[in-house]
Amino acid sequence: MREQLLHLLFPYVCLVCQKLLLPDEEYCCSSCKETFDPFRTPSEAENVLRQTIVSHFGEHFPFERGWCRYQFHKKSALQQVLHSMKYEGLFNLGTSFGRQLGEWMLSEGDIGDIECIVPVPLHRLKRTERSYNQSEKIAEGLAQSLKRPVHSGLLVRKRYTVSQTGLSVEGRKTNSEGAFLAAKDVRGCHVLLVDDVVTTGATMAAAAQALREGGAEKVSLAAVAVAAKE
Ligand SMILES: [Zn+2]
């Protein structure tokens, strides 16, 4: 908390180690950034996402394609940075992560027939409490790189779910199931669903299910990070 407060007061210090940032550094100095664990290629990331989700949901990977920039480790600098993005008001970080993720997605070819970008929504009460949705910020950054529109209103959260942190795999599934609803007609669309971190994939799977029930033809996913096997 102290660190985040410092960053708000002094935006030119690293969010993690508090060293002064160089002019080309944003939020986090390059030595802290070097401890992030990026995937080498988008295909490598897609395989890890696939394995993570399949290991929790059986053989079926409920997505057309999947992209993700980093492996997420507990107590890492990346965790600290993502936490600030989510809870400490540093929402521009989300846009920046989204833009970089988008550029990286395009580095291995095009993204096919994806028509629009849909962030995983927060319940309206949670959104009011936090004043922004970090996934929406990531989606906005992705839109800048991918040149596709963001349609935030397509998906809504019907239930106020408890935080997934600390829940078991089963708990996460029950907590997320039926939590979402496609609010508008998505018939025939290929939607890119966006969240910050994929842990078991329960939230993404429930959101994708709602989009499919709303008529979406294909759902792909993009996240900043996927939890590494500890
Ligand atoms: Zn640093």
Side-chain angles (χ1 to χ4, degrees):
M1 183 62 206
R2 196 180 132 262
E3 287 77 9
Q4 276 86 31
L5 195 62
L6 270 176
H7 188 85
L8 285 176
L9 294 172
F10 306 106
Y12 303 111
V13 298
C14 171
L15 208 50
V16 183
C17 72
Q18 283 90 54
K19 259 189 1 205
L20 268 185
L21 294 177
L22 298 172
D24 61 337
E25 293 171 342
E26 231 190 349
Y27 300 103
C28 187
C29 76
S30 40
S31 25
C32 286
K33 210 169 171 186
E34 262 170 36
T35 69
F36 291 6
D37 187 8
F39 287 105
R40 279 167 297 181
T41 61
S43 335
E44 184 197 13
E46 185 167 30
N47 282 333
V48 171
L49 268 174
R50 194 177 284 274
Q51 284 163 18
T52 303
I53 292 173
V54 163
S55 74
H56 293 111
F57 294 92
E59 282 311 290
H60 180 57
F61 182 63
F63 300 96
E64 180 73 14
R65 299 279 317 269
W67 290 275
C68 175
R69 188 67 190 95
Y70 301 101
Q71 298 235 49
F72 181 89
H73 302 273
K74 284 182 188 150
K75 300 195 170 72
S76 61
L78 179 65
Q79 181 183 30
Q80 207 170 323
V81 171
L82 290 177
H83 187 274
S84 304
M85 168 185 84
K86 198 163 175 171
Y87 302 105
E88 311 290 346
L90 300 180
F91 49 81
N92 286 339
L93 253 172
T95 323
S96 168
F97 271 122
R99 207 169 33 236
Q100 287 165 26
L101 174 63
E103 281 162 14
W104 189 68
M105 285 165 71
L106 295 172
S107 70
E108 211 177 58
D110 70 24
I111 54 159
D113 58 358
I114 288 172
E115 292 160 83
C116 65
I117 306 172
V118 175
V120 168
L122 289 177
H123 189 271
R124 62 184 170 77
L125 293 177
K126 224 178 253 182
R127 197 183 185 291
T128 310
E129 182 194 325
R130 282 195 207 154
S131 85
Y132 65 96
N133 171 4
Q134 76 283 355
S135 305
E136 219 169 288
K137 296 294 162 189
I138 300 167
E140 285 167 14
L142 276 168
Q144 291 172 12
S145 303
L146 302 175
K147 316 280 182 237
R148 300 288 197 280
V150 178
H151 290 177
S152 298
L154 269 187
L155 197 61
V156 292
R157 214 180 257 263
K158 329 186 257 191
R159 280 196 290 117
Y160 191 95
T161 50
V162 297
S163 166
Q164 299 274 66
T165 315
L167 290 182
S168 66
V169 173
E170 248 342 280
R172 279 171 185 261
K173 254 194 235 174
T174 323
N175 190 37
S176 308
E177 262 166 25
F180 301 97
L181 181 73
K184 292 184 186 150
D185 193 359
V186 282
R187 250 175 295 176
C189 279
H190 183 180
V191 177
L192 180 66
L193 191 58
V194 179
D195 208 354
D196 53 352
V197 180
V198 171
T199 307
T200 63
T203 305
M204 283 290 211
Q209 182 60 29
L211 286 170
R212 250 183 241 103
E213 280 163 11
E217 195 191 333
K218 291 181 262 184
V219 181
S220 289
L221 78 90
V224 174
V226 58
K229 281 191 190 138
E230 302 286 341

